[in-house]
Amino acid sequence: MKQAGCHWMGVDIKENADSYVFNVEIPGAAKDDIKIWLENDILTISGEKKEIGNESDKKLHSERYFGKFERSFRMPSDINGNNVKAEFVNGVLVVSVAKSEKAKAINVEIK
Amino acid sequence: MAIVRWKPSGDLFAVRDELNRMFDSFFENNSSEDGSMLMPPTDMLEDNDKYIVTVELPGMNKDQVKITVKDDVLTISGSKNRQSESKSDRLHRVERSFGSFCRTLTLPSKVVSSKISADLKDGILKVTLPKAEESKAREISIAG
Protein backbone atom coordinates (compact mmCIF):
# COMPACT_ATOMS: atom_id res chain seq x y z
CA MET A 1 0.00 0.00 0.00
CA LYS A 2 1.20 3.48 -0.80
CA GLN A 3 2.27 5.45 2.22
CA ALA A 4 0.92 8.78 1.01
CA GLY A 5 -2.30 9.65 2.78
CA CYS A 6 -3.95 7.42 5.30
CA HIS A 7 -5.84 5.37 2.79
CA TRP A 8 -6.79 1.82 3.51
CA MET A 9 -8.78 -0.38 1.16
CA GLY A 10 -10.63 -2.86 3.29
CA VAL A 11 -10.32 -6.40 1.95
CA ASP A 12 -12.22 -9.54 2.87
CA ILE A 13 -10.80 -12.82 1.60
CA LYS A 14 -12.74 -16.02 1.75
CA GLU A 15 -12.21 -19.47 0.43
CA ASN A 16 -14.91 -21.77 -0.82
CA ALA A 17 -14.79 -25.21 -2.35
CA ASP A 18 -13.39 -24.14 -5.70
CA SER A 19 -12.02 -20.61 -5.42
CA TYR A 20 -10.55 -17.79 -3.36
CA VAL A 21 -12.74 -14.70 -3.40
CA PHE A 22 -11.42 -11.19 -2.69
CA ASN A 23 -13.82 -8.37 -1.84
CA VAL A 24 -12.03 -5.02 -2.01
CA GLU A 25 -13.69 -1.72 -1.14
CA ILE A 26 -12.73 0.92 -3.71
CA PRO A 27 -15.64 3.37 -3.60
CA GLY A 28 -15.59 6.05 -6.26
CA ALA A 29 -12.99 4.42 -8.48
CA ALA A 30 -13.78 4.02 -12.15
CA LYS A 31 -13.69 0.46 -13.45
CA ASP A 32 -11.14 1.39 -16.08
CA ASP A 33 -8.77 2.86 -13.50
CA ILE A 34 -8.38 -0.42 -11.59
CA LYS A 35 -5.66 -2.87 -12.59
CA ILE A 36 -5.43 -6.47 -11.42
CA TRP A 37 -2.21 -8.42 -11.89
CA LEU A 38 -1.43 -12.01 -11.10
CA GLU A 39 2.29 -12.70 -11.31
CA ASN A 40 3.37 -16.11 -10.12
CA ASP A 41 1.71 -16.28 -6.72
CA ILE A 42 1.31 -12.54 -6.12
CA LEU A 43 -2.04 -10.88 -6.80
CA THR A 44 -1.77 -7.08 -7.04
CA ILE A 45 -4.67 -4.67 -7.16
CA SER A 46 -3.74 -1.11 -8.02
CA GLY A 47 -5.18 2.00 -9.53
CA GLU A 48 -6.04 5.57 -8.98
CA LYS A 49 -9.03 7.32 -7.50
CA LYS A 50 -9.60 10.61 -9.25
CA GLU A 51 -11.40 13.49 -7.69
CA ILE A 52 -14.32 14.75 -9.70
CA GLY A 53 -15.13 18.43 -9.46
CA ASN A 54 -13.98 21.85 -10.54
CA GLU A 55 -10.89 23.72 -9.44
CA SER A 56 -13.11 26.56 -8.32
CA ASP A 57 -15.05 24.39 -5.87
CA LYS A 58 -14.45 25.27 -2.26
CA LYS A 59 -13.76 22.34 0.05
CA LEU A 60 -15.69 22.72 3.26
CA HIS A 61 -15.12 19.24 4.63
CA SER A 62 -12.59 16.69 3.46
CA GLU A 63 -12.15 13.13 4.69
CA ARG A 64 -12.03 11.09 1.52
CA TYR A 65 -8.78 9.92 -0.03
CA PHE A 66 -7.91 10.43 -3.68
CA GLY A 67 -4.85 9.29 -5.55
CA LYS A 68 -2.99 6.09 -6.18
CA PHE A 69 -3.57 2.87 -4.30
CA GLU A 70 -1.98 -0.54 -4.39
CA ARG A 71 -2.20 -3.77 -2.43
CA SER A 72 -0.60 -7.15 -3.01
CA PHE A 73 -1.46 -10.57 -1.69
CA ARG A 74 0.49 -13.79 -1.75
CA MET A 75 -1.67 -16.58 -3.10
CA PRO A 76 -1.48 -20.21 -2.07
CA SER A 77 0.25 -22.46 -4.57
CA ASP A 78 -2.90 -24.38 -5.42
CA ILE A 79 -4.49 -21.79 -7.72
CA ASN A 80 -5.34 -21.92 -11.40
CA GLY A 81 -3.94 -18.63 -12.69
CA ASN A 82 -5.77 -18.99 -15.98
CA ASN A 83 -9.14 -18.81 -14.32
CA VAL A 84 -9.45 -15.42 -12.60
CA LYS A 85 -12.65 -13.41 -12.74
CA ALA A 86 -13.28 -9.86 -11.59
CA GLU A 87 -16.25 -7.54 -11.39
CA PHE A 88 -16.85 -4.12 -9.85
CA VAL A 89 -20.23 -3.71 -8.18
CA ASN A 90 -21.33 -0.74 -6.03
CA GLY A 91 -17.75 0.26 -5.30
CA VAL A 92 -16.67 -3.24 -4.30
CA LEU A 93 -14.19 -5.12 -6.49
CA VAL A 94 -14.81 -8.87 -6.43
CA VAL A 95 -11.94 -11.00 -7.68
CA SER A 96 -12.29 -14.77 -7.73
CA VAL A 97 -9.28 -16.94 -8.33
CA ALA A 98 -10.09 -20.54 -9.10
CA LYS A 99 -8.30 -23.37 -7.35
CA SER A 100 -6.41 -25.87 -9.40
CA GLU A 101 -8.24 -29.13 -10.04
CA LYS A 102 -6.04 -31.17 -7.76
CA ALA A 103 -6.50 -28.73 -4.88
CA LYS A 104 -10.26 -29.12 -4.74
CA ALA A 105 -11.43 -31.09 -1.79
CA ILE A 106 -12.80 -34.44 -2.80
CA ASN A 107 -15.47 -36.13 -0.83
CA VAL A 108 -14.52 -39.76 -0.35
CA GLU A 109 -17.39 -42.09 0.22
CA ILE A 110 -17.01 -45.10 2.43
CA LYS A 111 -18.10 -48.21 0.67
CA MET B 1 -58.83 3.98 38.19
CA ALA B 2 -58.56 0.36 39.22
CA ILE B 3 -57.73 -0.38 42.82
CA VAL B 4 -54.66 -2.58 43.08
CA ARG B 5 -53.55 -4.20 46.24
CA TRP B 6 -50.21 -2.77 47.33
CA LYS B 7 -47.31 -5.19 47.23
CA PRO B 8 -44.25 -4.09 49.19
CA SER B 9 -41.92 -5.81 46.74
CA GLY B 10 -43.60 -4.26 43.68
CA ASP B 11 -41.58 -1.06 43.73
CA LEU B 12 -38.35 -2.98 44.07
CA PHE B 13 -39.16 -5.08 41.05
CA ALA B 14 -39.99 -1.94 39.12
CA VAL B 15 -36.58 -0.51 39.96
CA ARG B 16 -34.91 -3.74 38.94
CA ASP B 17 -36.76 -3.77 35.61
CA GLU B 18 -35.81 -0.17 34.98
CA LEU B 19 -32.14 -0.92 35.67
CA ASN B 20 -32.23 -3.94 33.38
CA ARG B 21 -33.71 -1.80 30.65
CA MET B 22 -30.97 0.79 31.11
CA PHE B 23 -28.23 -1.81 30.82
CA ASP B 24 -29.90 -3.50 27.87
CA SER B 25 -30.14 -0.29 25.90
CA PHE B 26 -26.57 0.63 26.81
CA PHE B 27 -25.14 -2.65 25.59
CA GLU B 28 -27.57 -3.10 22.75
CA ASN B 29 -25.64 -3.99 19.65
CA ASN B 30 -27.24 -1.86 17.01
CA SER B 31 -24.03 -0.34 15.74
CA SER B 32 -21.11 -2.08 14.08
CA GLU B 33 -19.96 -5.52 15.05
CA ASP B 34 -17.26 -4.31 17.39
CA GLY B 35 -19.70 -1.97 19.08
CA SER B 36 -18.59 1.32 17.53
CA MET B 37 -20.48 3.24 14.87
CA LEU B 38 -19.10 3.28 11.35
CA MET B 39 -17.80 6.59 10.12
CA PRO B 40 -17.86 6.57 6.33
CA PRO B 41 -15.50 9.21 4.86
CA THR B 42 -17.42 12.30 3.79
CA ASP B 43 -16.56 15.36 1.70
CA MET B 44 -18.46 18.59 1.28
CA LEU B 45 -17.83 20.91 -1.65
CA GLU B 46 -19.31 24.29 -2.39
CA ASP B 47 -19.63 26.17 -5.65
CA ASN B 48 -21.59 29.28 -6.56
CA ASP B 49 -25.02 27.79 -6.43
CA LYS B 50 -24.89 24.49 -4.57
CA TYR B 51 -23.32 22.29 -1.95
CA ILE B 52 -22.25 18.77 -2.87
CA VAL B 53 -21.84 16.14 -0.17
CA THR B 54 -20.21 12.83 -1.08
CA VAL B 55 -20.03 9.80 1.21
CA GLU B 56 -18.13 6.54 0.58
CA LEU B 57 -20.56 3.66 1.01
CA PRO B 58 -19.04 0.68 -0.81
CA GLY B 59 -21.29 -2.32 -1.20
CA MET B 60 -24.46 -0.52 -0.18
CA ASN B 61 -27.60 -0.06 -2.20
CA LYS B 62 -29.98 2.87 -2.09
CA ASP B 63 -32.58 1.13 0.07
CA GLN B 64 -30.09 0.96 2.91
CA VAL B 65 -29.48 4.71 3.09
CA LYS B 66 -31.68 7.42 4.57
CA ILE B 67 -31.17 11.13 3.96
CA THR B 68 -32.98 13.84 5.88
CA VAL B 69 -32.67 17.61 5.92
CA LYS B 70 -34.13 19.65 8.73
CA ASP B 71 -33.47 23.37 8.90
CA ASP B 72 -29.81 23.54 7.96
CA VAL B 73 -28.78 20.10 9.20
CA LEU B 74 -28.19 17.24 6.76
CA THR B 75 -28.31 13.74 8.23
CA ILE B 76 -27.23 10.64 6.34
CA SER B 77 -27.78 7.35 8.10
CA GLY B 78 -28.10 3.72 7.27
CA SER B 79 -26.98 0.23 7.89
CA LYS B 80 -24.30 -1.63 5.98
CA ASN B 81 -24.97 -5.31 6.29
CA ARG B 82 -22.56 -8.15 5.77
CA GLN B 83 -23.62 -10.51 3.02
CA SER B 84 -24.55 -13.81 4.48
CA GLU B 85 -21.84 -16.33 3.92
CA SER B 86 -22.29 -20.00 3.47
CA LYS B 87 -21.04 -22.03 6.38
CA SER B 88 -18.50 -23.87 4.28
CA ASP B 89 -16.63 -20.64 3.42
CA ARG B 90 -13.32 -20.18 5.17
CA LEU B 91 -12.39 -16.62 6.02
CA HIS B 92 -8.76 -15.69 5.47
CA ARG B 93 -8.96 -11.97 6.05
CA VAL B 94 -11.72 -9.75 7.38
CA GLU B 95 -11.04 -6.03 7.17
CA ARG B 96 -14.25 -4.53 5.88
CA SER B 97 -16.47 -2.94 8.50
CA PHE B 98 -20.17 -3.40 8.69
CA GLY B 99 -22.85 -1.94 10.91
CA SER B 100 -24.85 1.22 11.19
CA PHE B 101 -23.73 4.79 10.73
CA CYS B 102 -25.09 8.29 11.09
CA ARG B 103 -23.34 11.37 9.76
CA THR B 104 -24.66 14.84 10.47
CA LEU B 105 -23.45 17.95 8.69
CA THR B 106 -24.44 21.53 9.33
CA LEU B 107 -24.94 23.41 6.08
CA PRO B 108 -23.31 26.84 6.05
CA SER B 109 -26.36 28.54 4.57
CA LYS B 110 -29.96 27.95 3.55
CA VAL B 111 -30.75 25.45 0.81
CA VAL B 112 -33.82 24.84 -1.31
CA SER B 113 -35.04 21.71 0.43
CA SER B 114 -37.51 20.84 -2.35
CA LYS B 115 -34.69 20.65 -4.90
CA ILE B 116 -32.23 18.42 -3.02
CA SER B 117 -31.25 15.38 -5.06
CA ALA B 118 -29.15 12.31 -4.35
CA ASP B 119 -27.71 9.37 -6.21
CA LEU B 120 -25.63 6.34 -5.28
CA LYS B 121 -23.14 5.06 -7.85
CA ASP B 122 -20.01 2.92 -7.54
CA GLY B 123 -20.24 3.10 -3.77
CA ILE B 124 -20.41 6.89 -3.60
CA LEU B 125 -23.49 8.68 -2.33
CA LYS B 126 -23.72 12.15 -3.81
CA VAL B 127 -26.18 14.63 -2.37
CA THR B 128 -26.68 17.89 -4.24
CA LEU B 129 -28.18 20.77 -2.26
CA PRO B 130 -28.99 23.93 -4.25
CA LYS B 131 -28.40 27.12 -2.30
CA ALA B 132 -31.31 29.39 -1.55
CA GLU B 133 -31.38 32.52 -3.69
CA GLU B 134 -30.55 34.81 -0.77
CA SER B 135 -27.42 32.87 0.17
CA LYS B 136 -25.79 32.87 -3.26
CA ALA B 137 -22.74 35.05 -3.71
CA ARG B 138 -23.43 38.08 -5.84
CA GLU B 139 -21.39 40.95 -7.02
CA ILE B 140 -22.34 44.36 -5.82
CA SER B 141 -21.66 47.29 -8.09
CA ILE B 142 -20.53 50.58 -6.69
CA ALA B 143 -23.02 53.34 -7.26
CA GLY B 144 -22.00 56.71 -8.48
Side-chain angles (χ1 to χ4, degrees):
Chain A
M1 158 184 167
K2 290 278 188 292
Q3 287 303 308
C6 53
H7 180 59
W8 182 254
M9 301 190 288
V11 180
D12 282 1
I13 307 172
K14 63 185 177 191
E15 176 189 350
N16 57 36
D18 32 50
S19 60
Y20 295 94
V21 182
F22 291 68
N23 283 272
V24 192
E25 294 190 339
I26 321 176
K31 196 182 92 179
D32 298 334
D33 290 335
I34 304 172
K35 286 192 175 64
I36 306 159
W37 292 90
L38 182 64
E39 196 180 357
N40 299 324
D41 59 344
I42 305 284
L43 177 78
T44 302
I45 295 161
S46 66
E48 187 170 3
K49 253 160 89 167
K50 291 170 186 154
E51 195 162 5
I52 300 159
N54 301 317
E55 287 283 311
S56 58
D57 289 348
K58 206 160 87 184
K59 243 183 194 174
L60 302 175
H61 194 82
S62 173
E63 295 169 357
R64 294 180 56 200
Y65 169 88
F66 297 96
K68 289 195 164 79
F69 57 83
E70 182 174 321
R71 280 196 79 175
S72 297
F73 307 91
R74 185 177 293 276
M75 301 296 299
S77 54
D78 61 353
I79 54 159
N80 175 4
N82 296 321
N83 192 354
V84 183
K85 288 188 207 110
E87 56 175 343
F88 190 55
V89 188
N90 293 340
V92 179
L93 178 73
V94 182
V95 183
S96 17
V97 183
K99 289 183 185 175
S100 63
E101 278 308 316
K102 62 177 181 192
K104 286 178 190 169
I106 302 162
N107 187 17
V108 181
E109 269 180 58
I110 302 168
K111 281 181 185 169
Chain B
M1 189 185 140
I3 296 169
V4 183
R5 190 175 158 175
W6 181 68
K7 287 183 281 185
S9 59
D11 290 346
L12 266 178
F13 286 131
V15 169
R16 186 196 62 184
D17 291 348
E18 187 58 36
L19 276 171
N20 281 343
R21 201 161 35 240
M22 268 169 61
F23 277 98
D24 285 349
S25 62
F26 183 73
F27 291 111
E28 199 175 332
N29 193 10
N30 57 2
S31 49
S32 86
E33 286 160 14
D34 62 0
S36 58
M37 288 279 266
L38 289 184
M39 193 159 146
T42 303
D43 277 9
M44 175 151 64
L45 293 175
E46 174 185 11
D47 70 8
N48 270 341
D49 41 36
K50 60 186 179 295
Y51 298 105
I52 297 170
V53 174
T54 49
V55 189
E56 297 193 342
L57 301 171
M60 290 189 68
N61 56 48
K62 64 176 189 178
D63 306 324
Q64 297 170 309
V65 187
K66 196 179 159 201
I67 305 161
T68 56
V69 180
K70 190 171 183 282
D71 300 327
D72 57 350
V73 176
L74 169 73
T75 304
I76 299 164
S77 60
S79 184
K80 187 178 162 192
N81 302 319
R82 192 180 285 280
Q83 281 173 340
S84 57
E85 270 134 14
S86 72
K87 279 209 174 125
S88 58
D89 285 352
R90 280 169 63 190
L91 300 175
H92 288 268
R93 204 179 277 238
V94 181
E95 292 173 358
R96 298 177 61 196
S97 327
F98 295 89
S100 57
F101 64 88
C102 182
R103 298 294 316 250
T104 303
L105 292 165
T106 305
L107 303 164
S109 69
K110 270 191 182 158
V111 295
V112 188
S113 52
S114 59
K115 285 189 180 154
I116 296 169
S117 61
D119 72 302
L120 181 59
K121 191 175 168 280
D122 289 341
I124 301 291
L125 175 75
K126 181 177 170 191
V127 187
T128 307
L129 309 111
K131 288 183 191 175
E133 212 45 59
E134 68 256 35
S135 47
K136 283 183 191 169
R138 59 188 184 278
E139 198 178 331
I140 293 135
S141 57
I142 302 163

